[in-house]
Amino acid sequence: MRRFSFIGRLGSDDRAAVRLVESESAVYEIDFLDGERRIGFGIGQALDQLASLGLRPTERAIDLVLLAAMVNAGDTRVSRSNNAQDGWTREIDLYVPVSAARAWNEQRQHIEPLLKFLTGDRWRVFFRKRPDRTGTLAIEPKRLAINGLTEVSLLSGGLDSLVGAVDLLANGKRPLFVSHYWDSETAKAQDYLLRALGKHYSQDKIKRLRVRLGFDRHRLNTGETETTQRGRSFLFYALAALAASAFDRPTVVNIPENGLIALNVPLDPLRIGALSTRTAHPHVIMSMERLTDALGLSVDFSNPYRHKTKGEMVSGCADGAFLREVVGSSMSCSSPAKARYKGLSPQHCGYCVPCLIRRASLRVGLGVKDPTKYTVESLHAQILATDRVEGEHVRSFQLMVKRIRNAPELAKIFVHKPGPLIDAPNEIPDYADVFRRGILEVGKLLQGVTAKPGGSQ
């Protein structure tokens, strides 16, 4: 197992000595400024977009995005299989240039556990002062700020974020939508939904910050890649905080995610820990809010759907008719590119955990036939093999459904497995109940579906 050290630089003349804590680690430097001294890797793109809206973020919010970008670099360019003794946990050090090194170093004891909770890796983060000439990275807007923006809302291209967007717009809100993408399928879904929302609710009401930020081998050549991307959500939060900081007032950031997937209780022991994503887990949301508060960023992260199942979100959507028109173009699948192995264009697989929850929600809440294209069109058409990906999660859900039906009180125990819920103890009964309802919602979808070892072979 190797420890990796990533050193952030701001320009070719930023040669400040960085004392490595682990001298034997594999060291890689990332220069965030291009030849024209413009900040790259998508961050400059984000600053330009905000300036075009008359918005200027704070320098500490830019620091947060720099940190998140470096987390993304380590998360995507260090292979778990090559560098983890237990097959999962990596050891990564980050050296980040920031505008206020003292304030950031005071938060290390908060940041490192948060990153470990999100990714399952051991992170050490060290901050140093930016070079004087990069003390200011924000772009001065050349126009007045857009009037009437009410909040920030994440728009990933998925079904939950679509419902969140529709509910806000249908109720007269004017959010600034924040999206991050790297792969083409996510980009395609976001672009289509934003255009559809603009056409339906007036293009003038759709203000957005869309950022393509990531590291391929041309930008950071470690000779390795990693696809689990458990740290991607930290980048998403950072971009939202960047946008919110530009409002120059306390601002709500909406994180639309149904309660079942937000908790992401492991369906079986093999999925415990960081093997399950924790993007919208209540502990992550509260940890991010504590971090931004400590840094003087007035951001209120909130998941208004934390006590609703996905089906309840769909059925309660404020504009169900419009949702039915566009829902087929939202993207929920964890790996739509898998369809290429069957000679198909990228699409929902139909059998991963997010796909199963999506199918169940549209079955109970949409009111019409699910228009989504799935690689496995029907879960009932064949016996699904539990020792293959097509049946693995189906069987896990079926076993959990059986346990919850036989002993509903187990939900009160299971909701504590993914992580602590001590930040809002009064909500624990609501979390237990949404978990129970969400599992049973998927159970209705899987009635009559047969999954067993070997499947139909």
Side-chain angles (χ1 to χ4, degrees), residues 63 106 113 117 190 282 293 316 386:
D63 292 340
E106 288 175 352
F117 181 77
Q190 291 172 1
D293 282 349
T386 57

Side-chain angles (χ1 to χ4, degrees), residues 114-184:
L114 170 58
L115 294 177
K116 187 177 190 301
F117 181 77
L118 270 174
T119 71
D121 302 301
R122 297 189 184 98
W123 300 82
R124 293 187 301 199
V125 186
F126 307 94
F127 299 97
R128 64 180 177 89
K129 189 177 182 299
R130 295 183 200 161
D132 289 342
R133 59 175 177 71
T134 58
T136 299
L137 292 173
I139 297 173
E140 185 68 40
K142 296 181 180 180
R143 56 162 297 170
L144 294 175
I146 293 288
N147 288 325
L149 291 175
T150 56
E151 57 225 291
V152 172
S153 191
L154 300 184
L155 196 145
S156 65
L159 174 53
D160 287 9
S161 68
L162 171 60
V163 172
V166 172
D167 284 351
L168 288 173
L169 293 168
N171 285 295
K173 302 293 185 180
R174 291 196 65 191
L176 173 58
F177 294 113
V178 174
S179 303
H180 167 258
Y181 66 97
W182 183 245
D183 63 280
S184 60

Side-chain angles (χ1 to χ4, degrees), residues 267-279:
L267 299 174
D268 56 62
L270 293 178
R271 290 187 62 82
I272 202 164
L275 289 173
S276 288
T277 180
R278 291 165 166 171
T279 297

Side-chain angles (χ1 to χ4, degrees), residues 15 37 79 84 104 131 163 170 195 210 213 222 228 234 269 347 349 382 405 416 419-420 436:
R15 308 315 304 167
R37 298 188 181 278
S79 166
W104 277 99
V163 172
R195 284 189 286 107
R210 289 191 67 213
L213 195 159
T222 63
T228 50
F234 189 71
Q347 59 188 262
C349 69
Q382 58 186 316
R405 281 177 177 161
H416 293 278
R436 179 189 61 80

Side-chain angles (χ1 to χ4, degrees), residues 260 265 400 404 411 414-415 431-439:
L260 178 63
V265 174
M400 181 59 79
I404 292 298
F414 290 154
V415 292
Y431 287 129
D433 198 45
V434 76
F435 170 69
R436 179 189 61 80
R437 298 196 316 274
I439 288 295

Side-chain angles (χ1 to χ4, degrees), residues 281-303:
H281 190 277
H283 181 63
V284 172
I285 292 176
M286 290 305 300
S287 295
M288 286 298 305
E289 188 158 314
R290 282 194 290 270
L291 175 60
T292 52
D293 282 349
L295 294 169
L297 304 176
S298 299
V299 182
D300 178 17
F301 293 102
S302 174
N303 178 6

Side-chain angles (χ1 to χ4, degrees), residues 214-234:
F215 297 83
D216 57 24
R217 62 184 177 85
H218 301 293
R219 296 182 170 201
L220 179 61
N221 188 10
T222 63
E224 302 182 351
T225 60
E226 178 57 46
T227 60
T228 50
Q229 295 192 43
R230 292 294 180 257
R232 182 173 180 264
S233 53
F234 189 71

